[in-house]
């Protein structure tokens, strides 16, 4: 079992929030994950690790939207940005691409940003530190627990 997965599920249980834990076959894309969960693509919370200037930050967006790098840089006051490499992602989260849940502290010592478009969805679904497990929960509960900084950095 994954340490991050266990910590995530414990965080949700300790907060006494309702959530659905879904076990499914391995998924590699947001579309595959949405189908495995039986949920619309738009509620999928995609978590990306970016290096902005000399620091790393997590960015969450709906799987149905696209990140606009220039908007992300502007939103966090950075001059440069790039996606983290697989090695950097593994080093900072212990996870592989597509499995990072949308949480900073206490799961990861990384700032957490969320695109404001997530406010339009009533629930959020994400991989639970595994390509074969997901969580679906109320967006309001996720916002309360994850405490992301809300910014604008995506497009349809």
């Amino acid at each position: 079992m994954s340490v991050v997965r266990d910590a995530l599920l414990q965080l949700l249980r300790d907060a006494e929030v309702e959530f659905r834990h879904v076990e499914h076959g391995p998924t590699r894309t947001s579309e595959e994950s949405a189908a495995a969960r039986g949920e619309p693509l738009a509620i999928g919370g995609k978590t990306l690790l970016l290096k902005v200037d000399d620091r790393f930050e997590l960015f969450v967006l709906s799987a149905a939207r696209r990140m606009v790098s220039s908007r992300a840089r502007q939103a966090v006051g950075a001059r440069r940005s790039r996606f983290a490499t697989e090695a950097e992602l593994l080093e900072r989260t212990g996870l592989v691409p597509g499995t990072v849940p949308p949480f900073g502290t206490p799961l990861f010592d990384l700032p957490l940003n969320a695109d404001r478009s997530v406010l339009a969805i009533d629930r959020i679904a994400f991989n639970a530190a595994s390509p074969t497990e997901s969580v679906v929960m109320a967006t309001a509960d996720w916002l309360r627990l994850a405490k992301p900084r809300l910014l604008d950095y995506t497009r349809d």
Side-chain angles (χ1 to χ4, degrees), residues 9 17 21 45 68 97-98 110 114 116 134 150:
L9 295 177
V17 299
H21 179 209
V68 178
L110 293 163
R116 283 187 204 283
S134 294
L150 294 171

Side-chain angles (χ1 to χ4, degrees), residues 88-150:
E88 290 167 334
L89 180 69
L90 185 62
E91 179 183 328
R92 282 158 184 82
T93 67
L95 301 172
V96 297
T99 66
V100 181
F103 287 85
T105 306
L107 296 183
F108 309 111
D109 187 23
L110 293 163
L112 181 67
N113 305 291
D115 188 72
R116 283 187 204 283
S117 63
V118 300
L119 298 175
I121 57 175
D122 64 342
R123 63 194 187 286
I124 186 168
F126 50 87
N127 282 31
S130 165
T132 61
E133 296 180 61
S134 294
V135 165
V136 183
M137 64 186 296
T139 302
D141 288 335
W142 172 73
L143 288 165
R144 183 174 53 80
L145 290 176
K147 298 178 179 72
R149 180 169 50 167
L150 294 171

Side-chain angles (χ1 to χ4, degrees), residues 31-45:
E31 291 80 9
E32 288 176 2
S33 294
R37 296 176 192 128
E39 296 285 352
L41 180 64
I43 73 159

Side-chain angles (χ1 to χ4, degrees), residues 42-108:
I43 73 159
K46 186 186 312 189
T47 305
L48 304 172
L49 180 64
L50 271 69
K51 185 169 187 181
V52 290
D53 288 340
D54 61 350
R55 65 192 186 276
F56 286 90
E57 296 191 20
L58 293 169
F59 291 79
V60 179
L61 60 148
S62 163
R65 297 183 64 87
R66 298 275 187 250
M67 175 175 272
V68 178
S69 296
S70 60
R71 287 185 195 166
R73 279 192 301 276
Q74 183 179 14
V76 298
R79 293 180 62 210
R80 298 176 320 278
S81 67
R82 65 170 174 82
F83 291 103
T85 65
E86 284 190 39
E88 290 167 334
L89 180 69
L90 185 62
E91 179 183 328
R92 282 158 184 82
T93 67
L95 301 172
V96 297
T99 66
V100 181
F103 287 85
T105 306
L107 296 183
F108 309 111

Side-chain angles (χ1 to χ4, degrees), residues 2-21:
S2 159
V3 172
V4 176
R5 173 207 170 270
D6 293 346
L8 168 66
L9 295 177
Q10 192 61 52
L11 172 71
L12 299 178
R13 287 186 197 109
D14 289 350
E16 298 180 352
V17 299
E18 287 187 33
F19 67 95
R20 185 166 53 102
H21 179 209

